[in-house]
């Protein structure tokens, strides 16, 4: 598959939650059960004297979703959004169009001469596409159900802009988009540009936090350290409110991320027996809760969910989880369910997986092979 500039979308996050209720405090029943599960596994690692030690592997729940596959005989789709499964919207990079897949039929809406990068929606008649015009100007492209409204931002994107183009659709009246040259906000028909606080900043995500403020996450390196920060809009400027710094060559990996308005640190590590993925959830910029999954997970391609008790994940695993070492897992706050194994990609190639969670009862995942695009739909049993 020829990705061309599609690779810019690997780091794009288009979910932009509205303000959420206050997060649950850390030590609830599900957290206790999760902790006891991890503790039990650790106890099994301890032997006495020369006795043989039996290491118990992670016990998965049976699938919680029923799955079906739809196949589209076209490629070039770089993003998807859906309010429900009746209409699934796809962003076509090559044909520069918005496609709607419904009842096995694919219809396209031409959006104009824009390089389109990502999209997000509020309803089937309110979808925001984030793109770049032919003269490299970042543009908000709003689909109203029948046509498009274009809002040039006045912010230009460098000719080579790497893999970072985060954007966010807050409400029908407000949207945000980032570039290496600054941030643009659309409110109604008006555009406001914001400069980054320093030259270090490279945004990886922008979102409305659970406290109702606009924030973005940035990442970079400085003096041999991998530095990740959260910036928050205060009055008319973005101000640093959180920083995480670790050595670049640390054996464990740490990523600062956001799920439905709440920030967390995703940590990958391992012990003598297994690979462990941990979610260190931030509350007021302190770690309030830790969820660890000692289940043979090397990394996640994508995470989607309405909360930390309702997460669908495309994971790279070891062979004890999935023979192909990739598949969909679901976390309900207590235990993972092994949902669906994904086929291995052809040699010297890697599929690009996108996963979305329209509601608590639906999971959508898309990936493209050489000549087709597959959409996997999971509905809760």
């Amino acid at each position: 598959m020829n990705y061309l500039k599609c690779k810019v979308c690997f780091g794009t996050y288009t979910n932009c939650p509205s303000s959420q209720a206050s997060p649950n405090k850390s030590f609830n029943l599900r957290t206790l059960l999760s902790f006891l599960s991890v503790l039990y596994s650790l106890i099994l690692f301890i032997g006495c004297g020369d006795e043989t030690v039996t290491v118990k592997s992670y016990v998965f729940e049976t699938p919680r979703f029923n799955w079906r596959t739809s196949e589209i005989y076209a490629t070039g789709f770089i993003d998807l959004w859906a309010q429900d499964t009746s209409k699934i919207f796809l962003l076509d990079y090559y044909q520069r169009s918005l496609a709607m897949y419904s009842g096995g039929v694919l219809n396209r809406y031409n959006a104009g001469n824009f390089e389109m990068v990502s999209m997000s929606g509020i309803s089937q008649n309110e979808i925001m596409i984030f793109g770049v015009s032919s003269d490299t100007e970042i543009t908000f492209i709003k689909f109203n159900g029948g046509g498009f409204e274009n809002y040039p931002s006045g912010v230009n994107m460098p000719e080579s802009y790497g893999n970072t183009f985060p954007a966010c659709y807050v409400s029908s009246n407000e949207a945000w988009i980032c570039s290496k040259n600054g941030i643009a906000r659309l409110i109604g028909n008006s555009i406001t540009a914001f400069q980054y606080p320093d030259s270090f900043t490279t945004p990886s995500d922008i979102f409305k936090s659970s406290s109702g403020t606009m924030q973005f996450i940035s990442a970079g390196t400085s003096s041999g350290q991998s530095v990740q920060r959260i910036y928050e809009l205060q009055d008319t400027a973005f101000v640093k409110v959180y920083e995480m710094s670790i050595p670049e060559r640390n054996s464990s990996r740490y990523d600062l991320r956001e799920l439905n308005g709440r920030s967390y640190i995703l940590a990958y590590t391992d012990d003598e027996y297994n690979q462990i993925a941990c979610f260190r959830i931030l509350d007021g910029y302190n770690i309030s809760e830790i969820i660890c999954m000692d289940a043979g997970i090397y990394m996640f391609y994508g995470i989607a969910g309405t909360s930390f008790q309702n997460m669908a994940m495309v994971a790279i695993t070891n062979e004890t989880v999935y023979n192909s070492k990739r598949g969909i897992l679901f976390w309900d706050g207590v235990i993972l369910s092994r949902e669906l194994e994904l086929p291995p990609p052809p040699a010297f190639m890697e599929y690009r997986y996108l996963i979305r969670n329209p509601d608590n009862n639906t999971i959508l995942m898309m990936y493209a092979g050489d000549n087709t695009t597959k959409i996997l739909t999971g509905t809760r049993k």
Side-chain angles (χ1 to χ4, degrees):
M1 177 180 177
N2 184 3
Y3 290 119
L4 295 179
K5 286 189 178 180
C6 289
K7 286 192 175 181
V8 307
C9 305
F10 268 87
T12 299
Y13 302 87
T14 55
N15 291 331
C16 186
S18 301
S19 179
Q20 303 294 318
S22 298
N24 293 329
K25 298 306 176 184
S26 59
F27 213 76
N28 53 35
L29 178 59
R30 287 185 169 184
T31 304
L32 176 61
L33 291 172
S34 177
F35 172 77
L36 291 175
S37 176
V38 174
L39 182 61
Y40 174 66
S41 298
L42 292 175
I43 290 172
L44 290 172
F45 296 159
I46 301 173
C48 299
D50 296 327
E51 294 178 3
T52 301
V53 178
T54 301
V55 179
K56 184 176 178 63
S57 61
Y58 190 94
V59 178
F60 290 89
E61 183 61 85
T62 57
R64 299 182 174 102
F65 291 78
N66 291 315
W67 291 90
R68 69 177 188 274
T69 301
S70 302
E71 193 167 45
I72 301 173
Y73 291 92
T75 59
F77 301 115
I78 59 172
D79 207 352
L80 81 160
W81 178 86
Q83 189 173 26
D84 54 52
T85 57
S86 65
K87 294 180 180 179
I88 300 173
F89 292 89
L90 311 170
L91 201 58
D92 192 322
Y93 178 85
Y94 295 112
Q95 297 197 26
R96 303 196 171 194
S97 62
L98 178 67
M100 183 183 71
Y101 184 72
S102 179
V105 178
L106 187 73
N107 292 309
R108 284 188 171 87
Y109 302 87
N110 188 281
N113 188 26
F114 296 97
E115 180 179 349
M116 297 181 295
V117 178
S118 64
M119 69 175 173
S120 185
I122 294 173
S123 72
Q124 295 176 354
N125 297 320
E126 293 179 293
I127 297 173
M128 186 68 75
I129 300 170
F130 306 96
V132 182
S133 69
S134 57
D135 57 357
T136 73
E137 184 177 17
I138 294 174
T139 305
F140 297 90
I141 308 162
K142 187 175 182 179
F143 178 70
N144 57 24
F148 297 90
E149 306 163 17
N150 300 330
Y151 301 94
S153 70
V155 177
N156 281 64
M157 176 69 76
E159 184 175 343
S160 176
Y161 48 88
N163 64 351
T164 302
F165 200 129
C168 169
Y169 195 17
V170 177
S171 67
S172 58
N173 195 48
E174 182 179 359
W176 294 73
I177 195 167
C178 296
S179 79
K180 288 188 178 294
N181 285 348
I183 300 174
R185 177 183 66 187
L186 172 69
I187 293 185
N189 298 327
S190 301
I191 300 286
T192 304
F194 297 84
Q195 298 301 312
Y196 295 125
D198 52 58
S199 58
F200 170 88
T201 302
T202 301
S204 60
D205 196 1
I206 186 167
F207 56 96
K208 190 171 187 178
S209 72
S210 57
S211 62
T213 59
M214 287 305 303
Q215 297 182 346
F216 73 82
I217 295 172
S218 73
T221 58
S222 177
S223 302
Q225 296 286 306
S226 173
V227 183
Q228 299 179 61
R229 297 171 175 167
I230 299 175
Y231 291 86
E232 180 177 279
L233 181 62
Q234 297 180 4
D235 296 325
T236 59
F238 281 91
V239 177
K240 183 179 71 174
V241 294
Y242 182 82
E243 180 173 305
M244 177 180 71
S245 179
I246 58 172
E248 283 189 85
R249 297 187 178 182
N250 194 293
S251 59
S252 300
R253 304 189 306 278
Y254 299 87
D255 293 320
L256 189 57
R257 297 190 182 185
E258 166 271 331
L259 180 71
N260 215 23
R262 294 189 65 188
S263 301
Y264 67 96
I265 300 167
L266 178 58
Y268 300 103
T269 186
D270 58 79
D271 57 23
E272 184 180 353
Y273 304 97
N274 219 345
Q275 290 73 43
I276 302 172
C278 290
F279 293 76
R280 302 178 179 180
I281 304 165
L282 300 179
D283 184 10
Y285 313 117
N286 294 310
I287 294 175
S288 65
E289 184 176 354
I290 299 178
I291 300 170
C292 287
M293 304 169 181
D294 58 332
I297 299 169
Y298 289 107
M299 65 170 287
F300 296 114
Y301 273 113
I303 298 171
T306 56
S307 72
F308 289 102
Q309 287 75 44
N310 191 91
M311 294 189 293
M313 299 162 281
V314 181
I316 295 181
T317 72
N318 62 34
E319 63 277 358
T320 65
V321 183
Y322 285 118
N323 290 329
S324 67
K325 298 186 179 181
R326 53 187 41 78
I328 301 174
L329 303 173
F330 183 83
W331 174 256
D332 70 341
V334 179
I335 190 169
L336 288 166
S337 59
R338 192 162 38 196
E339 290 296 324
L340 189 68
E341 183 167 4
L342 298 173
F348 309 110
M349 178 182 173
E350 187 55 83
Y351 291 143
R352 178 172 175 269
Y353 303 99
L354 290 174
I355 189 164
R356 301 290 182 261
N357 193 196
D359 54 55
N360 284 331
N361 299 310
T362 310
I363 302 170
L364 291 173
M365 203 212 76
M366 179 181 76
Y367 71 95
D370 289 329
N371 301 307
T372 63
T373 297
K374 289 183 172 60
I375 297 177
L376 311 181
T377 303
T379 54
R380 195 180 289 272
K381 294 181 178 179

